[in-house]
Amino acid sequence: MGKKTGLFNKILAGLLSLAIILGLASPVLANDKGDRFSYEVDMVIVVDISGSMSGTKMTKAKKSAKDMAEAIWKEQEAHNINTNIALISFASDVIHHKNDGTDFFQKKDKSKLFNVVDGLVAKDMTFTQGGIHEARMIFKKSTGDKKIIVLLSDGEANRIYEPKIDLDDYMNNNKKVLEGSFYYDKAGQDTTVAKGKFCALAEANLAKSDNIDVLDIYTVAVDCNEQAKEFLKDVASDKDKFKDSDTDDLEDVFQDLTDEIKDKIEKEKLEKELEDLNNRIDELDKEKAELEKEFEKEKEQAAKDKEELNKEINDLKDKTDELERAKDRLEQELADDREKSEEDKKALEKEIDDLKQKTDDLNEAKENLEKELEDTIDKMEEDKKELEKDIAELDKNLEDLRKEKDLVEEELNNKIKELEDRLEQEKAEYEKDKEELDNKISDLNDKLDQLDKEKVEIEEQLEKEIEESKSERDELRESIDSLDKKIEEMNKEKAELEKE
């Protein structure tokens, strides 16, 4: 009886698990955090304030930094996103501008961050590697779900950490720079632009290795030449993470990033719910397997009990047969000894009556055992039917859950496809707008070239006309001189005539 009670308790536990899965109980999701944000973004803005950034470049860099902060902080609460922003500037040295001793500024600290940005002054050399390395060190302590480095620069780099490796060998043979290849505890040193760019790119690659899957590196070109733009494209984590402050709307870029993070949160939530559903289905499968295993044990035990009862019945049958044989033998002896004394006859009759009574008792015991066996078998059959009914119901519920899982997976796949289609569409529109802009710039350049040619032609024509005018003036002057001479000669003739 104790074994049957344990089995029914397990069935009850399985039904309770099923009720939780079907929604009768409401489990708390991992991302139900009350007032806390569900997605943490840590962003480091790294600003080049070297001497080459002075003037309009510095003005553009400051505006770009503030535009980015505005864009990524805009309406972040509506999407359960909390963005922390750190500020690093670099010239000959690297400065991490802290927020009252903490690494990051939050949205409520926007005015303090913007005051620091406005106070940046361009001077000295360009330590790009140092700026990226400082961002790496901040991210070593970061637990953010998303990490972003934004480098604003004109692309020139001429200062590095002292290397432990042969830079010329690594540059000439395109070798991969590994962690520990520089003396980070020493001050930076001046170098060539080529080596400065190589070390900055190596530092960016180390940052990407540190934070695989969660790090994006954006680079923003500030009045760069084409060679510097190519360097900044290499530093960026993808080509589409490179932006030009003259042609790209940085506010739109980081609004798109906010939308991307929001879509990722929705996707992760669906994936988490699907994972929870799969885990519950696995648990229910295990409980079902345990119930079936327990049922098989009960079945085996019942078979053993039945076998023991049959053995007892057979033993009783053997004893009954033996008593029947003893009775027959005694009756035979009684018949043979009819002539014995009446007293012996009575004794024998009493002994026969006793044997009959024992036989009746054994037959009654046999009937009771057979009835008990039949009742036990009937009870086991009823229990078996109930268990089979419960297992069938569990199978049906499992099938319903699998269908629900398939629907959730289909919904998730549709959502992912919808997001991918939307990203592709936005990318295509961006490429189209960029192509139109490039065509307009090309047409404008062609018109400028045509105007330059026309200007040269007009200048040549003007020079030619000036030369021709000069020649005509000389001819007129000669004619006037000739006339003057003739007049002079005529005056002389007149004087002579008057004299005569």
Side-chain angles (χ1 to χ4, degrees):
M1 185 66 181
K3 290 182 180 178
K4 291 179 184 177
T5 303
L7 179 60
F8 288 126
N9 285 339
K10 290 185 178 180
I11 293 172
L12 183 61
L15 291 172
L16 180 59
S17 298
L18 181 63
I20 291 175
I21 293 175
L22 292 176
L24 299 178
S26 299
V28 179
L29 296 176
N31 57 0
D32 288 344
K33 299 181 180 180
D35 293 334
R36 293 183 56 206
F37 289 91
S38 66
Y39 201 87
E40 291 287 328
V41 178
D42 290 343
M43 183 167 84
V44 182
I45 300 177
V46 185
V47 185
D48 180 355
I49 60 167
S50 61
S52 63
M53 289 286 290
S54 60
T56 56
K57 289 185 181 182
M58 195 73 253
T59 303
K60 286 183 180 180
K62 291 178 181 180
K63 183 179 183 304
S64 296
K66 290 191 285 187
D67 286 348
M68 286 184 292
E70 285 279 14
I72 203 162
W73 271 333
K74 184 179 180 182
E75 298 180 2
Q76 65 171 10
E77 294 90 347
H79 306 312
N80 282 343
I81 302 170
N82 183 41
T83 304
N84 308 297
I85 298 179
L87 178 65
I88 294 172
S89 63
F90 64 90
S92 293
D93 296 314
V94 179
I95 301 175
H96 177 193
H97 303 273
K98 296 201 172 187
N99 177 23
D100 297 331
T102 61
D103 288 343
F104 292 96
F105 294 82
Q106 294 187 331
K107 186 176 181 180
K108 62 184 176 64
D109 308 312
K110 182 173 73 172
S111 60
K112 286 198 286 184
L113 173 63
F114 285 6
N115 287 337
V116 176
V117 172
D118 289 335
L120 298 176
V121 179
K123 61 181 179 179
D124 300 335
M125 306 294 282
T126 311
F127 197 2
T128 310
Q129 181 191 12
I132 298 173
H133 176 72
E134 185 66 22
R136 281 183 63 207
M137 294 304 99
I138 291 175
F139 283 151
K140 289 283 187 183
K141 299 177 286 183
S142 166
T143 57
D145 301 297
K146 183 76 176 176
K147 302 176 184 180
I148 303 169
I149 295 175
V150 183
L151 172 65
L152 296 103
S153 175
D154 60 3
E156 301 301 328
N158 52 23
R159 193 166 173 82
I160 61 172
Y161 288 108
E162 180 182 341
K164 299 179 183 180
I165 57 177
D166 183 347
L167 277 184
D168 291 325
D169 175 46
Y170 272 66
M171 291 171 67
N172 292 334
N173 295 293
N174 197 26
K175 291 184 179 179
K176 182 179 180 181
V177 178
L178 302 177
E179 186 69 73
S181 298
F182 299 93
Y183 292 101
Y184 292 120
D185 55 341
K186 296 183 180 181
Q189 60 184 31
D190 296 344
T191 186
T192 63
V193 172
K195 288 184 179 179
K197 288 181 177 179
F198 179 81
C199 293
L201 181 58
E203 199 70 36
N205 289 333
L206 289 172
K208 296 168 192 174
S209 299
D210 289 341
N211 298 282
I212 295 171
D213 295 335
V214 297
L215 175 69
D216 281 335
I217 300 180
Y218 286 80
T219 55
V220 180
V222 184
D223 290 351
C224 291
N225 57 39
E226 289 303 318
Q227 188 176 5
K229 287 181 181 179
E230 289 302 317
F231 160 66
L232 291 174
K233 287 178 183 178
D234 291 337
V235 172
S237 51
D238 289 304
K239 296 298 182 186
D240 62 347
K241 300 292 188 295
F242 165 78
K243 307 297 173 185
D244 193 323
S245 62
D246 288 331
T247 60
D248 289 311
D249 189 330
L250 297 180
E251 188 171 352
D252 285 347
V253 169
F254 283 89
Q255 182 60 49
D256 290 343
L257 177 62
T258 302
D259 292 339
E260 178 187 326
I261 293 170
K262 179 190 72 172
D263 292 339
K264 185 174 181 181
I265 292 172
E266 292 177 356
K267 178 182 173 185
E268 287 180 352
K269 184 177 179 181
L270 283 172
E271 289 175 344
K272 180 69 173 63
E273 290 175 355
L274 183 60
E275 183 183 353
D276 290 342
L277 188 60
N278 285 331
N279 289 338
R280 290 190 182 117
I281 289 174
D282 291 340
E283 289 172 5
L284 199 57
D285 283 336
K286 287 179 183 176
E287 290 180 8
K288 177 189 172 186
E290 288 177 2
L291 286 172
E292 289 175 343
K293 190 175 179 182
E294 188 69 25
F295 179 67
E296 286 299 322
K297 286 182 180 178
E298 292 285 342
K299 236 169 121 183
E300 290 175 5
Q301 185 61 42
K304 287 179 182 178
D305 292 343
K306 180 180 178 182
E307 187 178 346
E308 288 176 2
L309 284 172
N310 285 332
K311 187 177 179 184
E312 288 181 12
I313 289 170
N314 290 331
D315 289 342
L316 285 171
K317 234 186 235 184
D318 292 340
K319 287 180 181 179
T320 302
D321 292 341
E322 187 177 342
L323 287 171
E324 288 288 343
R325 286 193 296 271
K327 172 189 170 187
D328 292 340
R329 190 171 58 252
L330 286 171
E331 286 177 346
Q332 183 63 41
E333 288 177 1
L334 181 61
D336 293 341
D337 297 334
R338 283 178 188 268
E339 295 177 359
K340 286 186 178 181
S341 65
E342 188 68 26
E343 188 176 333
D344 290 339
K345 179 181 176 184
K346 288 180 179 179
L348 285 172
E349 286 177 350
K350 186 177 182 305
E351 190 173 346
I352 289 169
D353 290 337
D354 291 340
L355 285 173
K356 279 183 180 179
Q357 184 62 44
K358 286 182 179 179
T359 302
D360 292 338
D361 291 342
L362 285 172
N363 284 330
E364 185 179 353
K366 173 187 171 185
E367 288 175 358
N368 290 335
L369 284 172
E370 286 177 343
K371 187 174 184 304
E372 184 180 347
L373 177 60
E374 287 176 0
D375 292 341
T376 302
I377 291 170
D378 291 341
K379 185 72 170 80
M380 287 181 65
E381 287 296 328
E382 289 177 4
D383 292 344
K384 177 183 175 184
K385 286 178 181 177
E386 287 184 14
L387 285 172
E388 287 175 345
K389 182 179 177 183
D390 291 337
I391 290 171
E393 186 176 351
L394 286 174
D395 286 336
K396 182 178 180 300
N397 290 330
L398 279 172
E399 184 62 29
D400 292 340
L401 285 172
R402 288 193 177 94
K403 288 179 181 177
E404 183 179 348
K405 173 190 169 186
D406 292 339
L407 289 174
V408 172
E409 285 179 341
E410 183 179 357
E411 181 182 350
L412 177 61
N413 290 331
N414 290 336
K415 185 116 186 176
I416 292 171
K417 187 175 185 306
E418 180 183 337
L419 292 174
E420 290 174 347
D421 291 342
R422 192 171 74 192
L423 287 174
E424 285 297 325
Q425 183 180 356
E426 291 177 357
K427 184 176 178 183
E429 289 175 358
Y430 168 76
E431 292 294 337
K432 183 180 177 182
D433 293 343
K434 183 180 177 186
E435 184 179 357
E436 289 178 359
L437 183 60
D438 290 342
N439 291 336
K440 288 179 181 178
I441 292 172
S442 176
D443 292 342
L444 187 59
N445 288 333
D446 291 342
K447 289 179 181 178
L448 287 172
D449 291 341
Q450 183 63 33
L451 288 172
D452 287 336
K453 287 179 182 178
E454 291 178 2
K455 177 186 172 186
V456 171
E457 289 176 359
I458 291 170
E459 288 175 344
E460 289 177 352
Q461 183 67 27
L462 185 59
E463 288 293 331
K464 186 177 179 182
E465 290 178 358
I466 291 172
E467 287 295 328
E468 289 176 355
S469 176
K470 185 178 179 183
S471 176
E472 289 176 357
R473 280 203 313 271
D474 291 342
E475 288 178 1
L476 286 171
R477 193 172 284 111
E478 287 177 0
S479 298
I480 292 169
D481 290 341
S482 177
L483 287 172
D484 286 341
K485 286 178 182 179
K486 286 181 180 181
I487 291 168
E488 187 178 351
E489 287 176 359
M490 289 178 71
N491 284 332
K492 283 181 181 179
E493 288 180 3
K494 177 184 174 185
E496 286 177 0
L497 288 171
E498 288 178 346
K499 193 175 182 182
E500 289 176 0

